[in-house]
Amino acid sequence: MIAFTVALGASLATAMLNVMLDVGDKVNRELKTYGANINVIPKEASLLDDLYGVSEGHGVSDRHLRESELGRLKTIFWAFNIVDFTPYLNAEARMSGLDADVRLVGTWFSHREALPTGETLDTGMRNMKSWWSIEGDWLSDGDADAAMVGALLAERAGLSVGDAVALESAGARRELTIKGIFEAGSAEDERVYVPLSVAQEMTGRPGLVSSVEVSALTTPDNELSRRAAQNPKSLSVKEWETWYCTAYVSAICYQIEEVLTDAVAKPIRQVAESEGTILKKTKLLMLLITILSLAGAALGISNLVTAGVMERSREIGLLKALGAGNAPVSWLILMEILITGAVGGAAGYFAGLGFAQIIGRTVFDAAINIKPMVIPLVAILVFLVILTGCVPSIRLLLSLRPAEVLHGR
Amino acid sequence: MYLLDLQGVSKIYGSVKALYGIDLTVEKGEWLAIMGPSGSGKTTMMNIIGCMDKPSEGKVLLGGVDISAESARSLTAVRREKIGLIFQQFHLINYLTALENVMVAQYYHSMPDEKEALQALDRVGLSDRAKHLPAQLSGGEQQRVCIARALINYPMLVLADEPTGNLDEANEGIVIDIFRKLHDEGITIIVVTHDPEVAEEAQRTVILEHGRIARIVENRK
Ligand SMILES: Nc1ncnc2c1ncn2[C@@H]1O[C@H](COP(=O)(O)OP(=O)(O)O)[C@@H](O)[C@H]1O
Ligand SMILES: [Mg+2]
């Protein structure tokens, strides 16, 4: 029973600690699938945006970012926190069968980018917009004669997968086959997507992009990061260094601006902030569950051990009568429980790994990375829990008088 | 010098005077019996002599040393070094074999020594039952294991509280024979008993009544 209680406590602790230590990444990745958290646009476009509240998305600006520079995103200080990024080239186009212009967007779908570091990164819309529901297929970057159309636009134009459609932009005309119709649940549902190279060719803007969406893992904002976001120059050198070397979204934006020519990076606020809060709360919850499960185990153990000592009071009294001191008898009981506890703890640890994976699968839809540091942590916790659990019974044991238990009055 | 010397020993539980003004001396090598009705203070007296309890008043000299003022810790040591205890209910550890039960006493005294423990079992005629668990032994055999355990550390004084209380006549005879042998070897024995036949074997019988010594009988032999 003691072994079982310890096993239960240890398994919960193991599961929670593993999940907790891994959950930062998991929750972030989970939230990331609901969109990018940083938007990068050219400097002047951003100025217009700020002055007139006109997003670059509403007009087609003649300011651009360079596609060839995008690999540099993975060279910033927090390169590892940049999970995905996708460029967009926007244009207005006339579509056969419709009076009004439609928004044509060139992008990466599943692009393999060769990084300046010599590595490669697989990124693109497919990763960034994993929640889009697609009828038909995602485009691939080599599909020069195909397009993806938003569900609302498709309905308006009476299009379905497999249909051909003619698009005309900046004087260039193209016949494209509709390979997929997507439902994003947002403004994108009114747009036509083609591979970036196709859009660049059609609009005569080779090597240029209008904006880049970046998905980055970030640290929750605090007072320092908020001040920095308003004006990085207001920080002292020391503060600036701390800020720069922490994965605040503002620091990452700053570093992005450092590597891209004439670019402005802005956090997409709501998403970035909720990520931090949710992460904090989730971790707190896990910590609470860990503490509660261990406290529960300690209580359980103390009941079981006390009952055990009471049951064996005759035996313990006898040992004392034979001349065993308090210390040896306490050790005897403690050792027995520690050995049982160690067995239970080991079993619990492995059960906990299982739990962690189940939690990972059901909650985060991903495997939980097993952290070796959980082993000593759980071992110490189990040890402390057992010791705590033994306190009442050792006290009982010390107060046990052989004369009273042995003559069974 | 007496081996045991009780001087005005009293034990008072609240309003109950379990023992009152006991004066008693026991010589080395003596075999003493204690009799008396239930509740007359026999066990209380044995507990005090056996260092498991302290008197409320009076002095207890064991081998010339006053133990009535000792701490619980040093009483444990005295018990370990000088006293052998035999119980009415045997008190064997049920998951240990007869031999291991004897060795437990060695363990807390000095070092477990299997050969010596086997010899002790042999003295009570149980060497062939060494590997048996208490549940596989008869009451008489269990009591003999208990006696072997009491003797293993060569105590100065053997205390037996109603050792035959749970035994039939045949086993009672065996236990008395063992006591006789121990007495012949010069071991000092104090036996509490309800049984006049057991008491008669001793040299003297102390009769307790209401916590006092009513009389002391010299047994003819
Ligand atoms: N721990 C105790 N607390 C209160 N009263 C006790 C305790 N131990 C013994 N007594 C009382 O002391 C008296 C003597 O008990 P005891 O020595 O066990 O008698 P005996 O062994 O002769 O039957 C009894 O009245 C008993 O109720
Ligand atoms: Mg009694």
Side-chain angles (χ1 to χ4, degrees):
Chain A
M1 267 315 271
I2 290 175
F4 185 73
T5 310
V6 174
L8 208 66
S11 67
L12 278 170
T14 306
M16 288 308 147
L17 286 174
N18 263 315
V19 171
M20 199 166 81
L21 293 178
D22 204 38
V23 80
D25 292 0
K26 287 291 170 299
V27 167
N28 256 326
R29 272 175 218 283
E30 179 71 2
L31 287 166
K32 179 207 65 128
T33 60
Y34 292 108
N37 50 7
I38 295 173
N39 195 26
V40 189
I41 53 177
K43 219 172 214 160
E44 258 98 306
S46 120
L47 211 61
L48 281 177
D49 189 357
D50 286 348
L51 283 178
Y52 306 111
V54 195
S55 154
E56 184 268 348
H58 293 287
V60 178
S61 160
D62 56 348
R63 311 307 286 179
H64 293 96
L65 300 169
R66 287 173 213 157
E67 186 186 0
S68 58
E69 288 181 357
L70 296 186
R72 295 188 198 165
L73 287 173
K74 287 293 274 184
T75 64
I76 66 169
F77 185 82
W78 283 108
F80 283 115
N81 285 37
I82 304 282
V83 183
D84 274 313
F85 54 88
T86 304
Y88 298 103
L89 180 62
N90 301 324
E92 298 300 314
R94 181 154 289 274
M95 191 163 107
S96 52
L98 281 181
D99 300 336
D101 279 357
V102 295
R103 167 63 63 83
L104 175 70
V105 184
T107 187
W108 291 345
F109 292 96
S110 45
H111 177 81
R112 169 158 296 185
E113 176 76 358
L115 301 175
T117 56
E119 293 154 281
T120 60
L121 174 73
D122 289 309
T123 184
M125 291 264 289
R126 259 188 109 138
N127 279 349
M128 303 265 288
K129 312 286 184 187
S130 56
W131 74 95
W132 281 15
S133 72
I134 309 284
E135 182 193 327
D137 262 321
W138 276 100
L139 288 194
S140 70
D141 295 300
D143 285 327
D145 303 314
M148 274 176 92
V149 184
L152 292 177
L153 179 61
E155 199 183 316
R156 201 144 52 80
L159 296 171
S160 51
V161 175
D163 289 354
V165 68
L167 279 172
E168 197 181 325
S169 181
R173 190 188 149 82
R174 261 208 183 183
E175 289 279 338
L176 301 170
T177 315
I178 294 172
K179 197 171 169 193
I181 293 176
F182 60 83
E183 213 178 317
S186 50
E188 286 100 330
D189 286 343
E190 284 279 7
R191 297 177 187 171
V192 182
Y193 281 80
V194 295
L196 182 62
S197 54
V198 173
Q200 287 171 338
E201 205 183 305
M202 279 178 76
T203 58
R205 290 180 286 176
L208 298 179
V209 303
S210 321
S211 69
V212 182
E213 273 186 6
V214 180
S215 175
L217 307 178
T218 63
T219 306
D221 273 317
N222 60 8
E223 196 260 323
L224 173 69
S225 71
R226 274 187 280 273
R227 267 200 297 141
Q230 298 204 327
N231 184 10
K233 295 193 180 72
S234 69
L235 302 181
S236 70
V237 176
K238 192 108 202 283
E239 284 174 329
W240 192 87
E241 238 161 53
T242 313
W243 169 73
Y244 193 88
C245 298
T246 309
Y248 298 122
V249 68
S250 54
I252 292 178
C253 284
Y254 183 87
Q255 292 161 11
I256 290 175
E257 291 170 5
E258 286 180 327
V259 295
L260 298 185
T261 315
D262 289 337
V264 173
K266 288 193 167 172
I268 302 172
R269 272 292 167 193
Q270 301 83 338
V271 179
E273 256 163 28
S274 62
E275 283 187 22
T277 345
I278 289 182
L279 191 59
K280 247 190 196 157
K281 285 188 177 159
T282 318
K283 282 194 172 179
L284 200 67
L285 185 70
M286 303 263 170
L287 199 66
L288 231 95
I289 295 176
T290 308
I291 292 171
L292 283 180
S293 63
L294 288 176
L299 265 176
I301 290 171
S302 91
N303 276 331
L304 289 168
V305 177
T306 307
V309 166
M310 276 185 340
E311 210 170 86
R312 290 169 65 182
S313 61
R314 231 175 41 102
E315 179 187 329
I316 292 162
L318 172 78
L319 294 181
K320 285 189 170 189
L322 291 179
N326 280 328
V329 177
S330 306
W331 262 117
L332 177 77
I333 299 293
L334 211 60
M335 278 324 278
E336 276 184 29
I337 294 159
L338 279 176
I339 290 169
T340 331
V343 173
Y349 173 76
F350 288 106
L353 292 185
F355 280 160
Q357 294 311 333
I358 292 171
I359 293 173
R361 283 275 138 64
T362 52
V363 181
F364 302 110
D365 203 19
I368 297 287
N369 293 328
I370 291 158
K371 312 268 169 164
M373 88 178 254
V374 170
I375 297 177
L377 217 61
V378 167
I380 291 171
L381 286 176
V382 163
F383 184 73
L384 289 179
V385 161
I386 290 177
L387 282 191
T388 320
C390 284
V391 168
S393 53
I394 297 286
R395 290 182 51 165
L396 174 71
L397 191 150
L398 293 183
S399 69
L400 216 134
R401 294 174 30 142
E404 278 162 27
V405 282
L406 290 185
H407 293 293
R409 62 176 54 259
Chain B
M1 188 182 71
Y2 298 108
L3 182 102
L4 178 68
D5 189 354
L6 304 187
Q7 301 174 356
V9 168
S10 299
K11 181 73 185 181
I12 296 160
Y13 294 109
S15 60
V16 181
K17 290 178 176 170
L19 278 183
Y20 199 72
I22 301 289
D23 293 306
L24 180 69
T25 55
V26 180
E27 306 258 10
K28 185 170 178 341
E30 190 178 348
W31 182 354
L32 183 79
I34 299 175
M35 287 188 78
S38 205
S40 58
K42 305 182 297 293
T43 297
T44 304
M45 189 159 140
M46 290 295 256
N47 284 343
I48 289 172
I49 298 170
C51 297
M52 297 210 280
D53 214 341
K54 287 196 205 181
S56 313
E57 276 168 34
K59 271 188 174 181
V60 182
L61 302 177
L62 185 64
V65 181
D66 186 2
I67 56 167
S68 47
E70 297 276 348
S71 69
R73 194 191 173 89
S74 54
L75 281 184
T76 302
V78 172
R79 199 157 64 225
R80 180 167 61 221
E81 302 298 333
K82 301 187 174 161
I83 311 281
L85 294 169
I86 298 167
F87 309 96
Q88 181 177 0
Q89 294 101 336
F90 326 137
H91 293 309
L92 300 179
I93 296 174
N94 54 25
Y95 54 85
L96 298 180
T97 64
L99 185 66
E100 287 163 345
N101 265 287
V102 175
M103 285 164 70
V104 164
Q106 287 180 316
Y107 175 79
Y108 287 107
H109 180 265
S110 45
M111 283 282 283
D113 178 343
E114 191 171 330
K115 236 175 78 193
E116 203 178 25
L118 262 173
Q119 279 169 7
L121 282 178
D122 198 35
R123 269 171 98 186
V124 296
L126 274 183
S127 49
D128 54 335
R129 296 297 171 89
K131 300 286 177 205
H132 290 221
L133 292 173
Q136 299 165 321
L137 299 173
S138 74
E141 287 166 337
Q142 288 186 48
Q143 187 57 294
R144 281 143 73 189
V145 175
C146 182
I147 294 171
R149 182 178 61 193
L151 296 177
I152 190 69
N153 295 321
Y154 305 102
M156 180 189 266
L157 178 60
V158 171
L159 301 177
D161 195 348
E162 304 198 27
T164 57
N166 279 357
L167 302 183
D168 58 25
E169 229 161 278
N171 279 304
E172 185 179 303
I174 294 173
V175 168
I176 290 175
D177 281 345
I178 293 172
F179 279 9
R180 216 177 271 139
K181 221 168 73 188
L182 297 180
H183 176 62
D184 291 344
E185 290 170 17
I187 295 175
T188 314
I189 307 169
I190 301 179
V191 184
V192 166
T193 186
H194 276 301
D195 190 335
E197 280 178 44
V198 176
E200 266 168 27
E201 296 291 330
Q203 292 161 296
R204 283 194 297 164
T205 303
V206 173
I207 315 278
L208 283 182
E209 271 169 24
H210 304 299
R212 293 172 182 273
I213 296 179
R215 59 190 185 284
I216 300 181
V217 181
E218 298 278 343
N219 296 318
R220 284 170 293 113
K221 249 293 165 63

